[in-house]
Amino acid sequence: MSFELLSENRSFGGSQKVFRHPSNSCGCDMTFAAYLPPQAEDGPVPVLWYLSGLTCTHENAMTKAGLQEHASRHGLAVIYPDTSPRGTGVADDEAYDLGQGAGFYVNATRDPWRSHFRMYDYVVNELRGAVLENLPLLDRHGITGHSMGGHGAIIMAVRNPDLFDSLSAFAPIANPTQSDWGRKQLSAYLGDDETEWSDYDSTLLLEEHGWKSDILVDQGASDQFLDLLRPEALAKTMAKCRLPGTVRIQRGYDHSYYFVNTFAGDHVAWHAERLN
C-alpha cells in the first residue's frame, strides 16, 4: 500500500505528517496522521495509537491533544486514524452520532453501512499493517483514545492482546450496550440482535476475557456526558475480576480536549514505560 503525503510539519524535533491512502476495508480513501519523534531518524520506534471520538477527524487530537511534546521526549510515534469512512457514496445520517464521524470502531453488518463502515478491521488489520510497512515503526503497540475512541481502544486491545502491549483511555464510552451512546449505533450498524453487540462493549469484554496487563483510565468528574459514558460499570468490572489498573476520577474536568491535554503527558509516559 502506498501513502500520499498531504502535509508535513516540524514538531518538537520530530515530524507531524498527514497521509491519504486507498482502503480496502472501508472501500474509499482514508486519511490519517502520524507523528514521528526525532528518535525515528535513527531507527524504528514503538507506536502509540490514538483513537478519536464522535465528530472528530484525524486532525482534532493532532492539533489539540498535545501528544507530540510527550511523544518526542519518550521516543514514541503516534498514529491518529480518522473516525469513519468519508466521501460521496459513503452512507451518512443527519445526526452527529451516526454515520460519517461516528464509525464506533465496529464492522457494520447492516445496510447501508456495511459496505464502508468497517473501522475495526481498518484499524486493527489494514492500517496497522500499512504503517509498519511504510513508516519507521517497531512492532510494539500501545493504544488509547477519547470517548468513542476510548471505547475503540479498549475493545481492540482486549480482543487482540497479541497485537497491543499497553492500554489506556480518556473518558471512554465504557458500556455502550447499556447507553444511548451505543444502543442507537450498535442497532443501526449490527442489527437488533443484542447478542451481536457484546464484541463491542468494553465492560463485557473485560469481564469475559480480562487483559494481560494493567489499564489506565482518566475520567472527568464534571464530564457533561458522564451518564452516557458509564465509567462506574467499567470500574466495577475491573474490581470484580481483579484486573490490575486505575480508574482516576478527575475533579472539575469535563469532556473537552482541555481534559485530554491535561493528562496526555501521564498517558504517553505510562505507555512509554511499557513499550520501551
Side-chain angles (χ1 to χ4, degrees), residues 2 15-16 32 52 73 79 154 157-158 164 178 182 202 245 265 268:
S2 60
S15 182
Q16 179 63 66
F32 73 95
S52 292
R73 183 180 308 117
I79 302 295
I154 298 173
V158 172
F164 295 99
Q178 303 303 315
S202 300
V268 173

Side-chain angles (χ1 to χ4, degrees), residues 8-24:
E8 181 174 8
N9 300 95
R10 199 70 172 163
S11 177
F12 294 99
S15 182
Q16 179 63 66
K17 300 172 184 279
V18 177
F19 297 99
R20 180 168 54 213
H21 70 98
S23 167
N24 291 326

